[in-house]
Amino acid sequence: MAVGLAIQSEGAEYAGKITWFVVLSCMVAATGGIIFGYDLGISGGLTSMESFLKEFFPRVYKKMKEDTKTSNYCKFDSQLLTLFTSSLYVAGLISSFFASPVTRTFGRKISILIGGTALVAGAVLGGASYNIYMLLFGRVLLGVGLGFTNQAIPLYLSEMALPKYRGAFNMGFQICISFGFMLATLINYCAVKIKGGSGWRISLSMAVAPAAILTIGAFFLPETPNSLIQHGNDHEKAKRMLQRIRGVDDVQVELDDLIKASYASKSVKHPFKNLLQRKYRPQLVMSMAIPFFLQATGINVMGFYAPVIFQTIGLAESVSLLLTVLISFVGFGSTMGSSLVVDKLGRRALFHLGGIQMFITEILIGGIMAAKLGDHGELSKGYGILVLILICVYVAGFCLSWGPLGWVVPSEIFPLEIRSAAQSINVATSLLFTFVIAQGFLAMLCEMKSGIFFFFGGWVALMTGFVYFFLPETKNIPIEKMEKIWGEHTFWKRFVPCNQDNEKSKTEVA
């Protein structure tokens, strides 16, 4: 069963329809995003749960309850507490470099399967923890799983999707991240009400469900045509798979482009070294700049520590968790909205709109907290509501723009010959700075106080300018034809020759 019409794209006419086979395959693969979002959301809730703090971080709990002299901004400042959050991202950072050769050599499906297995093991160990060492080791296993799945899933979605709808399909990953975050906040809110103080075990253990779906589903996922061609010479098998996922028989134009890209890929023996070549300078810069800017928005401050921030301004534990649930619903709705317009408005327009929205709200939040929240006071009810509204507007701006596009754009701009290596750098950079933010935020909050919101607001202004000057539009361009946008760009054309495709073809014929 399929719906749709032939797709007209710049540079080539790729026939195809949106088939149920592709939709179901991408839905299963995208569940990896649910686990990523769940881990983002669960961390912040746990670090504000009194029962969890008493069990593993008694010093933080004592400071929160008994120390009246400590500043509002410093009550949760503990390197051991932040290590609980950030250990996941250190493990993910390291494992992403192992995931790259696995994805390149054995295909996307195998990496997803390995990642899913590690995620299941980490969730089980976390829920069963009875000391800090088990807790941290469970987080490390979760990090290994995320290193593999975040490496493979965005590539899988980009390669399975039609060019015209690639943005919407790849946003499935961010939609699942938002859904996982929303699910985590709901479970945290319910878990904190469980008598006996064991709710935190439920919060950690529930990650098993999406991890199991991903792991079992990975056994049945088809490999992408790009990967089939890259790992074998059976072009007929790749053609049959392409016909199945496109829902039409006439796929020769797209198949020819995939074969050409595969020849170029096989000629590259050292993809990481090759990525340093001058002609790949735009992709190298984007593979590091986009994930860095994604973390510099400050969104993970909201994700990890929204309940902590709400307690900082004087709200009770359960109220803080409930408000985090509200924010997660706003984020999920905005991500869904972004997926509907990304292939119509384009990537750049959403980056600009979201950037302006985030900048204004972060400056306003910082201003209110600087003027109205002292080291030992509380915000009034009116200002507390205003901060909540501004945080919701900020999250909506992020989920409209950098949230989904921070994964969509890197996954679609890399040529096949450097795709796994570049995606590995993209994932590693993202996890590295996620770790830096997670490990350093509570200390930064203690030292910078309300100034931290001005700090992230400055980065948002900078990244919005970066997109305006250096990122070309990528909507509707076939993934194997993406290189030409750099040769036509005002800045990047000095690095990438406009006739790069022709040079490749001559090399292949020779």
Side-chain angles (χ1 to χ4, degrees), residues 4 7 29 56 63 124 134 159 167-168 200 236 249 301 384 386 399:
I7 305 302
F56 296 105
K63 185 192 296 185
V124 170
M134 287 182 67
E159 292 176 353
W200 61 268
E236 280 301 313
D249 293 328
V301 169
L386 181 56
C399 291

Side-chain angles (χ1 to χ4, degrees), residues 352-418:
H352 295 150
L353 179 61
I356 293 170
Q357 193 169 325
M358 287 189 292
F359 173 75
I360 293 173
T361 51
E362 286 198 294
I363 297 302
L364 289 175
I365 292 170
I368 291 171
M369 294 184 71
K372 300 298 180 180
L373 179 67
D375 280 347
H376 302 286
E378 295 182 359
L379 284 181
S380 67
K381 182 178 180 180
Y383 280 110
I385 292 173
L386 181 56
V387 168
L388 171 64
I389 293 172
L390 289 173
I391 289 177
C392 287
V393 174
Y394 164 83
V395 170
F398 174 82
C399 291
L400 180 70
S401 58
W402 279 91
L405 295 178
W407 293 100
V408 170
V409 173
S411 70
E412 66 185 2
I413 63 174
F414 304 138
L416 185 62
E417 63 268 23
I418 61 167

Side-chain angles (χ1 to χ4, degrees), residues 39 69 88-89 94 105 134 158 177 183 191 239 302 331 402 405 504:
D39 285 323
K69 296 181 180 180
L88 181 148
Y89 303 103
I94 296 171
T105 305
M134 287 182 67
S158 286
I177 291 176
L183 186 65
K239 183 176 182 179
M302 305 299 180
W402 279 91
L405 295 178
K504 271 188 178 183

